[in-house]
């Protein structure tokens, strides 16, 4: 069973406010060491063609923090593990994020693939179709012009998407798109597993091996169905459903 792992920032600065998505350098290296020994880590695009039952993993980073270049990449080089960086196009050059030259440097690295994370990291499910279309097209255009390479992979900001957005993503030229538990887990809402500072090695192994994804995805879809009133009620004389209803 394969897992697509989601990182954001690898950093640990004394006095810095706590961030649930921030992982220390030491813990990150411990995770990479485990992956290099126990899993086959492949470029993200290879997960598009491999069986979901294959024991492979892929590493992704969202947003485009500068420490992805200065801290994460040297460790990925050490263990020779590939990664895909989903960059928020409008954040390039902001404080704490990659500059255009740094993004271009990463794009040239043989272990790195660049994808889009939207133009301004907005909630796509709250956008009009027109605005969503603009974000998808413009983020690709900007990133392509910066790195002089095709950009055809997308990660939905906040992991949020729906059936209409999945179709729109394909129409806007993306080969594949990834969410976090949302959507159909199809070509344009493939599920990923988020990592953060609460993940000790036991939790990390559960996430990297796919076990966590099986249970967590069902839980999130159950909650979505419950909120939307789509759970099947128990009927007298009929046994309650044993599975979880789909939130598609």
């Amino acid at each position: 069973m394969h897992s697509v792992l989601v990182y954001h920032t690898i950093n640990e600065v004394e006095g810095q406010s706590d961030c649930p998505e921030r992982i220390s350098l030491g813990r990150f290296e411990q995770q990479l060491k485990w992956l290099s020994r126990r899993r086959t880590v492949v470029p993200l695009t290879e997960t598009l063609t491999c069986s979901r039952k294959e024991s492979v993993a892929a590493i992704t980073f969202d947003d485009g923090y500068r420490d992805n270049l200065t801290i994460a990449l040297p460790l990925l080089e050490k263990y020779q593990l590939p990664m895909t960086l989903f960059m928020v196009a409008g954040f390039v050059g902001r404080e704490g994020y990659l500059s255009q030259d740094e993004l271009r440097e990463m794009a040239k690295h043989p272990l790195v693939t660049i994808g889009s994370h939207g133009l301004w990291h907005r909630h796509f499910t709250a956008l009009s179709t027109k605005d969503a279309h603009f974000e998808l097209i413009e983020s690709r255009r900007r990133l392509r012009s910066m790195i002089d390479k095709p950009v055809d992979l997308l990660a939905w900001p906040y992991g949020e998407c729906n059936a209409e957005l999945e179709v729109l993503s394909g129409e806007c030229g993306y080969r594949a798109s990834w969410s976090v538990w949302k959507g159909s887990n199809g070509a344009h809402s493939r599920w990923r597993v988020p990592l953060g500072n609460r993940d000790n090695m036991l939790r990390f192994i559960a996430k990297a091996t796919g076990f966590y994804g099986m249970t967590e995805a069902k839980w999130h879809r159950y909650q979505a169905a419950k909120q939307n009133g789509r759970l099947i009620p128990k009927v007298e004389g009929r046994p309650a459903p044993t599975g979880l209803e789909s939130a598609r």
Side-chain angles (χ1 to χ4, degrees):
M1 181 175 305
H2 73 245
S3 293
V4 177
L5 306 174
V6 188
Y7 291 96
H8 287 80
T9 176
I10 310 300
N11 204 350
E12 192 173 54
V13 179
E14 187 175 350
Q16 198 171 40
S17 60
D18 186 49
C19 170
E21 297 169 338
R22 183 182 298 122
I23 296 176
S24 70
L25 184 153
R27 179 167 288 186
F28 181 58
E29 180 163 18
Q30 187 181 27
Q31 293 172 356
L32 295 186
K33 184 181 294 185
W34 186 92
L35 286 170
S36 68
R37 294 175 176 176
R38 302 300 182 91
R39 303 290 281 180
T40 300
V41 180
V42 299
L44 182 61
T45 52
E46 289 193 18
T47 67
L48 300 176
T49 55
C50 71
S51 166
R52 295 186 188 274
K53 295 182 179 180
E54 290 185 52
S55 298
V56 302
I59 296 170
T60 66
F61 277 79
D62 285 4
D63 299 339
Y65 290 100
R66 189 169 184 270
D67 60 56
N68 297 175
L69 169 65
T70 59
I71 299 177
L73 186 55
L75 284 173
L76 291 164
E77 289 177 324
K78 178 179 178 179
Y79 295 98
Q80 284 298 290
L81 301 179
M83 61 94 87
T84 295
L85 169 63
F86 289 108
M87 183 76 214
V88 181
F91 288 4
V92 175
R94 284 190 180 184
E95 183 178 359
Y97 293 88
L98 294 165
S99 68
Q100 184 169 325
D101 287 343
E102 289 168 335
L103 180 62
R104 189 179 297 114
E105 178 185 345
M106 288 199 74
K108 291 178 180 178
H109 198 287
L111 291 176
V112 179
T113 301
I114 304 297
S116 170
H117 199 37
L119 183 58
W120 298 114
H121 205 283
R122 301 171 73 185
H123 292 273
F124 270 80
T125 52
L127 297 179
S128 66
T129 300
K130 179 181 178 181
D131 286 345
H133 182 273
F134 176 78
E135 280 254 347
L136 293 171
I137 292 293
E138 183 63 11
S139 62
R140 281 190 73 210
R141 187 196 67 78
R142 288 197 192 184
L143 291 172
R144 186 172 60 244
S145 68
M146 291 179 198
I147 66 174
D148 197 28
K149 285 186 175 183
V151 176
D152 60 2
L153 306 178
L154 170 73
W156 297 105
Y158 307 102
E160 297 175 351
C161 64
N162 55 33
E164 181 183 0
L165 289 168
E166 290 182 47
V167 173
L168 187 61
S169 176
E171 292 175 348
C172 289
Y174 290 95
R175 179 167 37 141
S177 310
W178 282 262
S179 67
V180 179
W181 315 132
K182 303 294 178 64
S184 66
N185 198 23
H188 290 284
S189 62
R190 297 173 182 273
W191 292 340
R192 297 185 297 161
V193 183
L195 296 168
N197 60 20
R198 293 178 60 245
D199 294 313
N200 57 29
M201 274 310 288
L202 188 61
R203 279 173 60 90
F204 173 77
I205 291 170
K207 289 184 173 186
T209 54
F211 176 77
Y212 179 94
M214 291 173 58
T215 56
E216 189 74 4
K218 288 182 178 180
W219 172 250
H220 278 273
R221 294 172 74 78
Y222 170 82
Q223 290 297 315
K226 184 177 180 181
Q227 291 174 6
N228 293 325
R230 290 201 292 265
L231 288 180
I232 299 176
K234 184 176 179 180
V235 178
E236 192 68 30
R238 171 185 168 190
T242 56
L244 296 176
E245 291 303 301
S246 171
R248 296 181 189 179

